[in-house]
Amino acid sequence: MQTIFREKKISSILGILPETVGYFDDEVGNYSFPAKQTMRLKKVMGFEKHRLSKTGTTVFDFASYGLRYMFQKEWIDKREIGAILVVTLCPDYFVPHISTMLQGEFGLASDVLCLDIAQGCCGFLIGLMEAYLLLEHRKDKKIILVNGDVLSHKISKMDRNDFPLIGDAATITVIEQDAKAGDIYYEMHMDGSRGDALKIPAGAFRMPSTPETAKMIEQGDGNVRSLDHMHMDGSGVFSFVQTEVPPLLVHMLEETGESADSIDYFLFHQPNRFMLQKLAEKAKIPEEKLPMNLVETYGNPSGASIPLTAALNLREKLLADKYRCCFSAFGSGLAWGGMILDFGRLEYCEIIESNL
Amino acid sequence: MLEGKQKEILDMLNEIRPEFDFVTSSNFIEDGLLDSFDIITLISMLEEKYQKKIDGMDTVPENFFSIEDIIRVVEKSEGRN
């Protein structure tokens, strides 16, 4: 899909973190690999620390914590909300949906559209796309976009390839009409034939969780996990990113008449430092334009990665001024896409820590 | 007897995975000697040792079957600025 959205803007971003910090140095002993070998990855991948939610904490908990904060601080009035979009891989239940749970929790009007979308790494781009489309029909309202995941509960703590990089977090983004906003270029690609590269085999209808699926199994590569856990085919995902994303960036820049020079910031999904460095090298993007510090600061929070990276690195700038930005995300699906837009002069931008 | 760059790369492989015999393996990936994280570790060591930037598109497992493959990747890579 390739299109242009008009007269839309992101007006506020709130990041919500759990308070618990897991340190890579402390977790090295959980893995079956020699410590020296594991520690080599620390600098290369950016493994330092990550945020971990408490057992039982859900995306609804993060979203309601954040929304309550936004209402209390008067970031937004409940009557301004036209829709709640929740993009997550971690539903509280199969039914009801997190978006309707939030509507009920805060007593929002019945004409507030509530929609949950199952998406991972590209969740922010997919959520923005839905918000822009909805605004065509609710021009006088604001859209609340929740991106959140608590994937640390679905990853084995004995899986060195997956656990150190993941982080739990949520973001809430407010999107609205703006007659003065510049065009927003959007492009999204999907390839379901490679979907097994990121997978949680058990736990839904195809393979319900059982004591059998919960058995921890040594995978032959030194990692230990069960069928209830998420697994990433590291080689497959890495090859996918390095082959699909550079041509995507070239195409986006060509279509918009932009260049690595004319874009102020490249705000990308944050899988790990190594992958982002290789992308920056390939696309000849100066590293100061492409923040790659989310994994070492909070961990990779899946769909919340782009807004959280923006709030972590550019908060003051985004509150003060507007910048030409290129967003790009890539991962589960497999999916990869991007957006080129003017981003900034936000009303609010903050990261808060919860007790979740 | 391996010499020069072959020996240097073998030393790196043995440092990453001391439990495996890289000399007798005909395919490091198919034989399960290197996984994706080992390749990333090796790339960072190669870049440091030879002051090269290995292209992201060359970091696919197919380029790491053997020491000769690895040497080819290093030799086609650009020098670091």
Side-chain angles (χ1 to χ4, degrees):
Chain A
M1 179 181 177
Q2 183 181 338
T3 194
I4 305 278
F5 294 107
R6 295 188 168 88
E7 300 184 0
K8 313 284 184 286
K9 73 169 181 182
I10 294 168
S11 52
S12 296
I13 291 175
L14 176 68
I16 309 110
L17 301 170
E19 64 183 353
T20 304
V21 182
Y23 292 92
F24 185 65
D25 289 2
D26 298 336
E27 294 162 357
V28 168
N30 296 342
Y31 309 122
S32 64
F33 301 86
K36 188 181 170 193
Q37 188 183 327
T38 299
M39 289 303 283
R40 280 188 192 287
L41 291 168
K42 184 175 176 178
K43 187 180 170 196
V44 183
M45 300 291 278
F47 293 160
E48 181 68 41
K49 56 190 175 182
H50 51 168
R51 295 291 176 131
L52 304 169
S53 57
K54 295 184 172 121
T55 303
T57 293
T58 66
V59 171
F60 170 82
D61 297 332
F62 279 109
S64 56
Y65 189 99
L67 271 177
R68 190 165 291 111
Y69 182 87
M70 292 168 83
F71 292 141
Q72 282 172 354
K73 297 282 182 182
E74 299 182 342
W75 285 27
I76 190 167
D77 187 286
K78 290 178 186 178
R79 290 166 295 186
E80 296 177 296
I81 297 173
I84 299 178
L85 304 176
V86 177
V87 186
T88 185
L89 295 172
C90 306
D92 282 46
Y93 310 103
F94 288 127
V95 179
H97 314 296
I98 296 172
S99 52
T100 50
M101 289 166 65
L102 292 168
Q103 185 212 30
E105 175 77 7
F106 292 102
L108 302 181
S110 64
D111 69 342
V112 172
L113 186 111
C114 298
L115 183 62
D116 282 23
I117 302 168
Q119 264 291 335
C121 311
C122 288
F124 186 60
L125 296 181
I126 294 288
L128 284 179
M129 176 195 78
E130 287 289 343
Y132 296 154
L133 291 169
L134 278 169
L135 280 170
E136 287 299 307
H137 305 276
R138 305 222 68 176
K139 291 183 191 293
D140 58 333
K141 296 286 186 179
K142 297 179 180 179
I143 310 295
I144 295 290
L145 169 61
V146 176
N147 290 96
D149 276 302
V150 286
L151 281 167
S152 72
H153 303 303
K154 279 287 181 187
I155 294 179
S156 166
K157 291 180 172 55
M158 299 168 73
D159 185 342
R160 188 206 61 179
N161 290 11
D162 293 323
F163 190 71
L165 60 86
I166 208 74
D168 298 331
T171 54
I172 301 176
T173 306
V174 182
I175 302 116
E176 60 188 282
Q177 284 290 121
D178 177 6
K180 295 176 186 165
D183 289 356
I184 299 170
Y185 176 83
Y186 179 66
E187 188 171 338
M188 180 59 65
H189 302 262
M190 311 266 179
D191 180 5
S193 71
R194 290 183 277 177
D196 281 355
L198 274 156
K199 189 169 185 174
I200 303 174
F205 285 93
R206 177 69 63 187
M207 187 189 292
S209 287
T210 64
E212 197 63 28
T213 64
K215 279 185 184 165
M216 297 293 278
I217 299 166
E218 207 283 325
Q219 301 293 317
D221 59 1
N223 293 298
V224 182
R225 62 178 168 271
S226 76
L227 290 169
D228 291 337
H229 288 128
M230 189 172 89
H231 171 55
M232 177 178 67
D233 165 14
S235 297
V237 172
F238 191 82
S239 298
F240 148 68
V241 172
Q242 298 303 328
T243 52
E244 301 293 0
V245 179
L248 165 76
L249 296 174
V250 169
H251 186 246
M252 289 171 63
L253 294 173
E254 281 176 359
E255 288 288 304
T256 53
E258 302 282 356
S259 67
D261 290 335
S262 66
I263 298 289
D264 296 309
Y265 293 104
F266 291 82
L267 298 172
F268 286 4
H269 175 57
Q270 301 276 307
N272 59 64
R273 175 174 281 279
F274 181 83
M275 209 181 269
L276 290 168
Q277 261 171 348
K278 286 293 159 204
L279 279 181
E281 286 170 15
K282 184 72 183 171
K284 301 195 185 316
I285 300 168
E287 287 196 14
E288 61 271 20
K289 285 190 176 190
L290 200 168
M292 47 184 86
N293 59 348
L294 198 69
V295 165
E296 65 202 48
T297 311
Y298 299 137
N300 168 5
S302 186
S305 58
I306 292 174
L308 205 57
T309 298
L312 172 66
N313 291 283
L314 302 173
R315 178 180 178 273
E316 298 300 331
K317 287 187 168 187
L318 291 173
L319 287 168
D321 212 342
K322 198 171 272 193
Y323 298 89
R324 197 71 177 145
C325 288
C326 173
F327 297 166
S328 185
F330 29 83
S332 60
L334 297 173
W336 64 104
M339 194 174 277
I340 291 181
L341 71 167
D342 294 326
F343 178 43
R345 292 206 190 103
L346 301 180
E347 290 174 33
Y348 304 96
C349 183
E350 199 173 333
I351 297 175
I352 57 173
E353 194 171 87
S354 71
N355 59 354
L356 297 166
Chain B
M1 189 73 178
L2 298 176
E3 291 180 351
K5 203 171 273 181
Q6 284 185 322
K7 171 76 166 61
E8 289 166 357
I9 290 172
L10 180 63
D11 288 344
M12 289 180 207
L13 291 166
N14 284 329
E15 199 175 330
I16 294 169
R17 286 284 192 172
E19 68 272 35
F20 293 137
D21 182 0
F22 288 91
V23 175
T24 57
S25 170
S26 59
N27 188 317
F28 302 157
I29 306 299
E30 284 185 5
D31 291 347
L33 274 55
L34 294 177
D35 70 9
S36 59
F37 281 52
D38 298 326
I39 292 173
I40 288 169
T41 306
L42 177 62
I43 290 166
S44 72
M45 293 168 82
L46 292 167
E47 290 186 334
E48 186 68 33
K49 172 82 178 171
Y50 301 114
Q51 290 296 296
K52 297 264 194 174
K53 274 185 183 173
I54 294 173
D55 190 301
M57 288 172 122
D58 287 331
T59 58
V60 293
E62 296 77 47
N63 284 339
F64 293 84
F65 286 166
S66 67
I67 288 179
E68 288 68 34
D69 290 339
I70 297 167
I71 289 173
R72 264 193 293 278
V73 169
V74 171
E75 290 185 343
K76 70 180 278 202
S77 301
E78 291 177 20
R80 279 186 174 175
N81 293 327

